[in-house]
Amino acid sequence: MELLVASAVGVLTAGGLYLILRLRTFPVILGMSLLTYAVNVFLFSSGRLTVGAPPILRDDATVYTDPLPQALVLTAIVISFGMTAVVVMIALGAYLGSDDDHVDDLPGPDADENAEGGT
Amino acid sequence: MTHWIIAPVVLPALLAPFIVLAARYHIGIQRVFSVAGVLALIAISAGLAWQASDGSVILYQLSDWAAPFGIVLVGDRLSTAMLLLTAVLALFVLLFAIGSDWDSRGRHFHALFQFQMMGIMGAFLTGDLFNLFVFFEVLLIASYGLMIHAGGNARLKAGVQYVLFNLIASSLFLFALGSIYAETGTLNMADLANRVALIGPEETVGIRIAAVLLILVFAVKAAIVPLHFWLPSSYAEACAPVAALFAIMTKIGAYAIIRVYTMIFPPELEVTAGLHDVWLLPAALLSLAIGMLGVLAAQKLDRLVAYSVIGSMGMVMVSIALFTPTGIAAAIYYIIHSTLAGAALFLIADLVRTGRGNLDLTAQPAMAGTALTSALFFIGAIAMAGLPPLSGFLGKLLVLDAGYDTDLMVWIWAIVLGSSLISIVGFARAGSVLFWKAHSVHTPEPEEDAAPRPSPAALSYVATGGLVALLAAHTVFAGQVHGYSEKIAAQLFAPAPYIATVVETPGKLSDPTTKTEEH
């Protein structure tokens, strides 16, 4: 199981990084999501891997799994959902405004007109 | 147990939804509540700073849960001083936003501003690494909204870069937290300090990786070269009050490095030896050099200011990377200076934009309100470039003094002094092109129906002048401020009372039997 979890983290991270390096908004956002999944699996495993053990202390339980990483993962999932929604909205706005989905374009010479106008 | 320490987090958190829900169509009411909220924050922060100034550590256990199990907020000299700096900066930024009307050019400026304050205050107060992550996300998600405030394609483009860069940094932060938890089984800073010290020198791999990942994350926040690429375009494209508020955001990275690497991974610790002097110090020197070269190379005023922020962060990090009490004291003095100077320069850049319509560093006809704007720019540039008599010069002297005894003294002195010269040239060039050469350019005949360019509003000048006045005060009271930052550094290098307060204060525990015994 250690092999499975470790390779899952590795493959997700590699795929995520590859997509991020494509530098176009849609692949980059997908890559960010993959990276987030990798982080979540990694966090989940940081409390040591145990099979079939409850995360709650009970009188009849002899082994139990660490509950804290699960709480951390829950928080991280919620935050990453929110962040993905924000980045999708901003990327969509940028794409619709400039008809170009490259991430790394520097603002052109007409940047000032946009920067000044508040409408 | 005093409840005041959680007020800087709760007050903006309640104010922001109130502004969205009750006052969303009334910009006047929003302004009143926003300014009142920030004034209250100043009062609360000042109270907390006064309470912590005698060296005591203020502890707040949420729901009364004891430290390693529950979440704690901790206020010591450093965090309360940073709170006060943030609140004071926020007041002037808010006044400028109101005066220049930036806050009504997009929706929800004041609500996002309050959420931003909540995140920053929480990041300074938290005593737990995971909550540091959560507060980072709170302040980041508010900053994404503020960053693209008022819209425009260039701003959205820069916003996408800014958001993505920070999201990757957040993922890295979670990886770091996972490794730390796997190695030690706790994320409470004080508890971590105890447990990391127990790790033997032969089991260093995991904790070393965690420490390096963590410093990478904070270096992204602090925009240390080579992790600074997000800063120039995002700060230059953000509207002026937002960029000025962001001047404190890079300092959160510096604060986190000071906090974590004096308490959890102190320089004398064997497991993480070499991290500060071998890696952090050269990176800091590089940021200083590249930032100031950027000042010289910039084609527009807002980029110039953004690069000067990178340069001044480099200066802060140089003295932090020494990790001596004198170094940290110098860093804290310089952090206050560079926050105020950076924010003032962003606001001045906006005054220039209002006066002449663009920020290109080319000679153009004289603009509206030249006299006052140029005077402010002159003072701001002197402060940022570190010329006497302002606080930048004193801060630089302190950094040089702190670097005097080290092995890399030649490098530190050469780069600090050389980059100062470059930045002086850069600022002098910008100032002369913007304000002097205006007189040598032929003024075109004004068209009959062309409206004259509006002068910036009086309140904008008040806000900018207020920041400049604070810089002057920072210079006049340099002795007292530096004395206090030495006390802060002394407290940081003797973390035993902090750790004892956090770990040993009783509270509800997860074990129900001990709870009944206590009652």
Side-chain angles (χ1 to χ4, degrees), chain B residues 232-495:
Chain B
S233 56
S234 52
Y235 277 38
E237 292 302 334
C239 65
V242 173
L245 182 65
F246 282 7
I248 194 78
M249 299 253 286
T250 43
K251 276 66 181 184
I252 297 171
Y255 164 83
I257 288 180
I258 295 179
R259 172 69 71 208
V260 170
Y261 290 83
T262 51
M263 191 156 70
I264 303 175
F265 307 109
E268 67 272 13
L269 195 71
E270 203 177 339
V271 268
T272 52
L275 200 57
H276 316 91
D277 42 356
V278 180
W279 293 105
L280 192 56
L281 189 55
L285 288 170
L286 209 59
S287 327
L288 181 55
I290 287 183
M292 292 313 180
L293 282 174
V295 168
L296 191 61
Q299 304 283 324
K300 295 173 108 182
L301 187 58
D302 46 7
R303 299 248 156 196
L304 182 145
V305 179
Y307 274 105
S308 75
V309 168
I310 295 181
S312 70
M313 270 322 287
M315 185 82 87
V316 168
M317 292 310 303
V318 165
S319 61
I320 289 177
L322 298 170
F323 272 99
T324 54
T326 45
I328 298 285
I332 291 160
Y333 185 85
Y334 205 86
I335 282 175
I336 300 172
H337 154 77
S338 95
T339 307
L340 297 174
L345 279 173
F346 276 117
L347 298 185
I348 292 162
D350 195 59
L351 294 178
V352 172
R353 167 150 46 205
T354 316
R356 63 187 286 195
N358 62 52
L359 287 171
D360 296 332
L361 290 179
T362 50
Q364 285 172 13
M367 59 186 188
T370 303
L372 209 48
T373 309
S374 60
L376 287 171
F377 179 82
F378 187 58
I379 301 172
I382 284 178
M384 189 50 116
L387 283 176
L390 283 175
S391 51
F393 175 68
L394 299 173
K396 200 183 302 171
L397 280 185
L398 292 172
V399 174
L400 288 176
D401 185 44
Y404 186 71
D405 293 332
T406 55
D407 304 334
L408 287 170
M409 176 249 181
V410 179
W411 283 99
I412 294 174
W413 278 54
I415 293 180
V416 167
L417 293 174
S419 66
S420 303
L421 180 66
I422 295 172
S423 74
I424 291 167
V425 175
F427 275 108
R429 179 189 65 118
S432 58
V433 166
L434 283 176
F435 302 109
W436 257 349
K437 283 203 181 156
H439 296 293
S440 64
V441 174
H442 173 66
T443 313
E445 289 298 316
E447 293 169 31
E448 288 298 314
D449 53 346
R453 281 225 149 251
S455 290
L459 192 56
S460 311
Y461 280 119
V462 170
T464 319
L467 280 177
V468 171
L470 277 181
L471 272 177
H474 191 47
T475 314
V476 172
F477 297 104
Q480 285 85 338
V481 175
H482 184 244
Y484 192 63
S485 47
E486 275 176 335
K487 277 192 197 165
I488 293 176
Q491 191 180 27
L492 287 171
F493 278 87

Side-chain angles (χ1 to χ4, degrees), chain A residues 37-104:
Chain A
Y37 291 139
V39 169
N40 289 342
V41 175
F42 179 73
L43 268 186
F44 194 73
S45 64
S46 69
R48 304 291 182 272
L49 294 166
T50 40
V51 181
I56 304 169
L57 265 184
R58 284 204 314 238
D59 290 338
D60 54 339
T62 48
V63 276
Y64 76 106
T65 182
D66 192 346
L68 194 80
Q70 306 191 4
L72 300 187
V73 171
L74 270 178
T75 316
I77 289 174
V78 172
I79 289 177
S80 75
F81 271 152
M83 293 292 171
T84 311
V86 170
V87 72
V88 166
M89 290 312 294
I90 298 178
L92 210 57
Y95 170 64
L96 293 177
S98 61
D99 210 19
D100 174 21
D101 68 342
H102 272 285
V103 172
D104 58 339

Side-chain angles (χ1 to χ4, degrees), chain A residues 48 66 83 97 102-103 115 118, chain B residues 105 137 153 155 157 181-182:
Chain A
R48 304 291 182 272
D66 192 346
M83 293 292 171
H102 272 285
V103 172
Chain B
R105 293 191 207 178
E137 297 302 307
N153 283 337
R155 193 167 286 145
K157 276 258 167 206
Y181 187 77

